[in-house]
Amino acid sequence: PEFQHSLCRRDCRCLLQDRQKLWPSQGKLPATRTMNTLTKLALGMMGQLRPKPPKGDAATSIALPPPAKRGGLPLMEALAKRRSSREFAGEALPLQVLSDLLWAAYGVNRDGGGRTAPSALNCQEVDVFVALPAGAYRYDAAAHALHLVAGSDLRNITGYQDFVDEAALDLVFVADHARMGMVPVAQRESYASAAAGAIAQNVYLFCASAGLA
Protein backbone atom coordinates (compact mmCIF):
# COMPACT_ATOMS: atom_id res chain seq x y z
CA PRO A 1 0.00 0.00 0.00
CA GLU A 2 1.09 3.59 -0.63
CA PHE A 3 0.91 4.36 3.10
CA GLN A 4 3.46 1.65 3.84
CA HIS A 5 5.68 2.80 0.97
CA SER A 6 5.62 6.36 2.37
CA LEU A 7 6.69 5.08 5.77
CA CYS A 8 9.53 3.13 4.19
CA ARG A 9 10.74 6.19 2.28
CA ARG A 10 10.57 8.32 5.45
CA ASP A 11 12.50 5.74 7.48
CA CYS A 12 15.11 5.41 4.73
CA ARG A 13 15.63 9.16 4.61
CA CYS A 14 16.09 9.22 8.39
CA LEU A 15 18.66 6.43 8.09
CA LEU A 16 20.60 8.36 5.46
CA GLN A 17 20.45 11.57 7.49
CA ASP A 18 21.86 9.76 10.53
CA ARG A 19 24.73 8.35 8.46
CA GLN A 20 25.45 11.73 6.90
CA LYS A 21 26.12 13.18 10.34
CA LEU A 22 29.32 11.16 10.32
CA TRP A 23 30.59 13.32 7.42
CA PRO A 24 29.06 16.77 8.08
CA SER A 25 31.47 18.63 5.78
CA GLN A 26 30.36 16.70 2.71
CA GLY A 27 26.82 15.86 3.76
CA LYS A 28 27.18 12.47 2.08
CA LEU A 29 29.25 9.31 2.14
CA PRO A 30 32.80 9.73 0.83
CA ALA A 31 33.01 8.59 -2.78
CA THR A 32 35.94 6.30 -1.98
CA ARG A 33 34.09 4.45 0.75
CA THR A 34 32.08 1.38 -0.17
CA MET A 35 28.49 1.79 0.96
CA ASN A 36 27.40 -0.63 3.62
CA THR A 37 24.37 -2.86 3.32
CA LEU A 38 21.96 -0.60 5.24
CA THR A 39 22.84 2.44 3.15
CA LYS A 40 22.41 0.51 -0.09
CA LEU A 41 19.10 -0.90 1.11
CA ALA A 42 17.86 2.58 1.98
CA LEU A 43 18.91 4.04 -1.37
CA GLY A 44 17.38 1.08 -3.20
CA MET A 45 14.04 1.46 -1.46
CA MET A 46 14.04 5.17 -2.33
CA GLY A 47 14.92 4.43 -5.95
CA GLN A 48 18.21 6.30 -5.61
CA LEU A 49 20.71 3.48 -6.15
CA ARG A 50 22.42 4.12 -9.47
CA PRO A 51 25.00 2.31 -11.62
CA LYS A 52 28.51 3.68 -11.88
CA PRO A 53 30.36 4.83 -15.02
CA PRO A 54 32.17 2.01 -16.80
CA LYS A 55 35.79 1.28 -16.05
CA GLY A 56 37.46 0.83 -19.43
CA ASP A 57 35.98 0.17 -22.83
CA ALA A 58 33.31 -2.51 -23.23
CA ALA A 59 33.42 -4.72 -26.31
CA THR A 60 30.07 -5.22 -28.03
CA SER A 61 30.60 -8.99 -27.94
CA ILE A 62 33.17 -11.26 -26.30
CA ALA A 63 33.89 -14.61 -27.94
CA LEU A 64 34.75 -17.04 -25.16
CA PRO A 65 37.37 -19.75 -25.68
CA PRO A 66 36.07 -23.34 -25.67
CA PRO A 67 35.49 -24.50 -22.09
CA ALA A 68 37.93 -26.96 -20.56
CA LYS A 69 35.62 -29.90 -19.86
CA ARG A 70 38.27 -32.12 -18.27
CA GLY A 71 40.16 -31.71 -15.04
CA GLY A 72 39.11 -30.08 -11.80
CA LEU A 73 38.45 -31.77 -8.50
CA PRO A 74 36.43 -34.96 -8.10
CA LEU A 75 32.83 -34.17 -7.19
CA MET A 76 33.10 -35.24 -3.55
CA GLU A 77 36.17 -33.06 -3.01
CA ALA A 78 34.45 -30.09 -4.61
CA LEU A 79 31.45 -30.61 -2.34
CA ALA A 80 33.76 -30.72 0.66
CA LYS A 81 35.28 -27.37 -0.33
CA ARG A 82 32.01 -25.61 -1.23
CA ARG A 83 31.43 -22.53 0.93
CA SER A 84 30.10 -18.97 0.80
CA SER A 85 32.53 -16.05 0.75
CA ARG A 86 32.11 -12.35 1.44
CA GLU A 87 35.58 -11.19 0.49
CA PHE A 88 36.71 -11.23 -3.12
CA ALA A 89 39.82 -10.26 -5.03
CA GLY A 90 39.28 -7.41 -7.47
CA GLU A 91 41.46 -8.81 -10.25
CA ALA A 92 39.67 -9.76 -13.45
CA LEU A 93 39.29 -13.47 -14.12
CA PRO A 94 41.34 -14.83 -17.03
CA LEU A 95 39.12 -15.28 -20.08
CA GLN A 96 39.55 -19.06 -19.96
CA VAL A 97 38.39 -19.19 -16.35
CA LEU A 98 35.38 -17.00 -17.18
CA SER A 99 34.57 -19.30 -20.09
CA ASP A 100 34.76 -22.39 -17.88
CA LEU A 101 32.70 -20.72 -15.16
CA LEU A 102 29.84 -19.75 -17.48
CA TRP A 103 29.78 -23.11 -19.22
CA ALA A 104 29.67 -24.89 -15.85
CA ALA A 105 26.89 -22.57 -14.71
CA TYR A 106 24.51 -22.98 -17.64
CA GLY A 107 26.34 -23.97 -20.78
CA VAL A 108 25.25 -26.36 -23.52
CA ASN A 109 26.61 -29.83 -22.72
CA ARG A 110 25.00 -32.10 -25.34
CA ASP A 111 23.35 -32.23 -28.73
CA GLY A 112 19.92 -30.70 -28.84
CA GLY A 113 20.86 -27.71 -26.66
CA GLY A 114 20.62 -29.39 -23.26
CA ARG A 115 22.24 -27.43 -20.44
CA THR A 116 24.49 -28.18 -17.49
CA ALA A 117 21.62 -27.22 -15.14
CA PRO A 118 18.04 -28.52 -15.40
CA SER A 119 14.84 -26.56 -15.94
CA ALA A 120 11.27 -27.80 -15.65
CA LEU A 121 9.96 -29.03 -19.02
CA ASN A 122 13.26 -27.81 -20.50
CA CYS A 123 11.89 -24.26 -20.60
CA GLN A 124 15.38 -22.82 -20.16
CA GLU A 125 13.75 -19.69 -18.83
CA VAL A 126 16.81 -18.32 -17.01
CA ASP A 127 19.35 -16.04 -18.65
CA VAL A 128 22.73 -15.46 -17.03
CA PHE A 129 24.05 -11.91 -17.03
CA VAL A 130 27.62 -10.96 -16.15
CA ALA A 131 28.25 -7.58 -14.53
CA LEU A 132 31.82 -6.49 -15.21
CA PRO A 133 33.54 -3.16 -14.46
CA ALA A 134 33.29 -2.15 -18.14
CA GLY A 135 29.67 -3.18 -18.66
CA ALA A 136 27.01 -5.87 -18.30
CA TYR A 137 26.71 -8.83 -20.68
CA ARG A 138 24.21 -11.58 -21.42
CA TYR A 139 25.68 -15.06 -21.70
CA ASP A 140 24.71 -16.66 -25.01
CA ALA A 141 25.06 -20.37 -24.22
CA ALA A 142 24.48 -21.56 -27.79
CA ALA A 143 27.27 -19.38 -29.17
CA HIS A 144 29.28 -19.53 -25.93
CA ALA A 145 29.75 -15.77 -26.08
CA LEU A 146 28.90 -12.60 -24.16
CA HIS A 147 26.79 -9.82 -25.65
CA LEU A 148 26.80 -6.30 -24.19
CA VAL A 149 23.48 -5.14 -22.74
CA ALA A 150 24.58 -2.11 -20.67
CA GLY A 151 27.64 0.09 -20.97
CA SER A 152 27.80 0.91 -17.25
CA ASP A 153 29.31 -0.67 -14.16
CA LEU A 154 26.21 -2.31 -12.66
CA ARG A 155 27.98 -4.26 -9.93
CA ASN A 156 26.86 -1.97 -7.12
CA ILE A 157 23.17 -2.48 -8.00
CA THR A 158 23.27 -6.27 -8.38
CA GLY A 159 22.76 -6.74 -4.64
CA TYR A 160 22.48 -4.90 -1.35
CA GLN A 161 25.62 -6.42 0.17
CA ASP A 162 28.62 -4.10 0.08
CA PHE A 163 31.00 -6.76 -1.27
CA VAL A 164 29.28 -6.98 -4.65
CA ASP A 165 30.52 -3.47 -5.52
CA GLU A 166 34.16 -4.43 -5.98
CA ALA A 167 34.04 -8.13 -6.87
CA ALA A 168 35.69 -9.00 -10.17
CA LEU A 169 32.24 -9.84 -11.57
CA ASP A 170 28.70 -10.44 -10.41
CA LEU A 171 26.34 -12.99 -11.91
CA VAL A 172 22.66 -12.13 -12.24
CA PHE A 173 20.02 -14.75 -13.05
CA VAL A 174 16.90 -13.44 -14.82
CA ALA A 175 13.85 -15.61 -15.52
CA ASP A 176 11.69 -14.96 -18.59
CA HIS A 177 8.25 -16.33 -17.71
CA ALA A 178 7.16 -15.96 -21.33
CA ARG A 179 9.21 -19.07 -22.10
CA MET A 180 7.22 -21.09 -19.55
CA GLY A 181 4.04 -21.56 -21.54
CA MET A 182 3.65 -25.18 -20.40
CA VAL A 183 3.96 -24.23 -16.72
CA PRO A 184 0.88 -22.99 -14.82
CA VAL A 185 1.18 -19.26 -14.15
CA ALA A 186 0.93 -19.70 -10.38
CA GLN A 187 3.92 -22.05 -10.37
CA ARG A 188 6.26 -20.19 -12.71
CA GLU A 189 8.05 -18.21 -10.03
CA SER A 190 8.80 -21.28 -7.91
CA TYR A 191 9.91 -23.29 -10.96
CA ALA A 192 12.22 -20.48 -12.10
CA SER A 193 13.62 -20.14 -8.58
CA ALA A 194 14.48 -23.83 -8.56
CA ALA A 195 16.19 -23.50 -11.95
CA ALA A 196 18.20 -20.51 -10.76
CA GLY A 197 19.20 -22.45 -7.65
CA ALA A 198 20.55 -25.29 -9.77
CA ILE A 199 22.63 -22.82 -11.80
CA ALA A 200 23.93 -21.21 -8.63
CA GLN A 201 24.99 -24.59 -7.25
CA ASN A 202 26.91 -25.26 -10.46
CA VAL A 203 28.72 -21.96 -9.92
CA TYR A 204 29.52 -22.87 -6.32
CA LEU A 205 30.93 -26.25 -7.30
CA PHE A 206 33.00 -24.84 -10.16
CA CYS A 207 34.48 -22.17 -7.90
CA ALA A 208 35.32 -24.78 -5.28
CA SER A 209 36.91 -27.01 -7.92
CA ALA A 210 38.88 -24.15 -9.52
CA GLY A 211 40.12 -22.71 -6.22
CA LEU A 212 38.07 -19.54 -6.57
CA ALA A 213 36.11 -20.02 -3.34
Side-chain angles (χ1 to χ4, degrees):
E2 181 58 32
F3 175 70
Q4 291 181 344
H5 292 170
S6 298
L7 288 178
C8 289
R9 287 194 290 269
R10 183 197 66 189
D11 293 342
C12 290
R13 292 191 183 98
C14 291
L15 172 62
L16 288 175
Q17 289 169 359
D18 290 341
R19 287 191 56 77
Q20 287 168 359
K21 292 177 183 177
L22 298 175
W23 297 277
S25 61
Q26 291 91 356
K28 60 182 180 180
L29 297 177
T32 57
R33 180 183 176 89
T34 300
M35 288 186 290
N36 72 9
T37 299
L38 288 178
T39 303
K40 292 185 70 177
L41 179 61
L43 290 172
M45 294 177 69
M46 293 170 61
Q48 298 299 314
L49 197 59
R50 297 288 186 266
K52 297 178 181 179
K55 297 179 180 178
D57 296 327
T60 302
S61 295
I62 300 175
L64 298 169
K69 300 178 183 179
R70 296 184 181 276
L73 295 179
L75 176 60
M76 298 304 283
E77 291 185 31
L79 286 168
K81 291 179 176 293
R82 195 226 69 83
R83 62 187 177 90
S84 298
S85 299
R86 290 173 176 79
E87 294 183 3
F88 302 94
E91 293 81 8
L93 292 182
L95 195 59
Q96 183 64 60
V97 176
L98 178 58
S99 169
D100 296 348
L101 168 63
L102 293 172
W103 180 82
Y106 204 37
V108 175
N109 68 349
R110 58 194 182 275
D111 293 339
R115 303 291 190 91
T116 57
S119 59
L121 301 175
N122 197 32
C123 290
Q124 299 185 9
E125 70 274 17
V126 176
D127 282 320
V128 178
F129 291 83
V130 185
L132 296 167
Y137 291 82
R138 180 182 62 84
Y139 173 52
D140 180 346
H144 195 56
L146 293 172
H147 302 303
L148 185 69
V149 295
S152 301
D153 184 357
L154 304 185
R155 291 176 298 167
N156 68 309
I157 62 172
T158 60
Y160 287 125
Q161 304 96 328
D162 54 4
F163 53 79
V164 304
D165 295 17
E166 302 300 331
L169 63 89
D170 296 332
L171 297 180
V172 180
F173 306 146
V174 177
D176 182 356
H177 288 193
R179 302 177 192 169
M180 307 177 74
M182 298 293 291
V183 178
V185 173
Q187 298 178 359
R188 289 177 184 177
E189 183 173 349
S190 60
Y191 277 39
S193 297
I199 298 169
Q201 184 69 340
N202 281 359
V203 172
Y204 268 120
L205 292 176
F206 172 81
C207 290
S209 176
L212 299 177

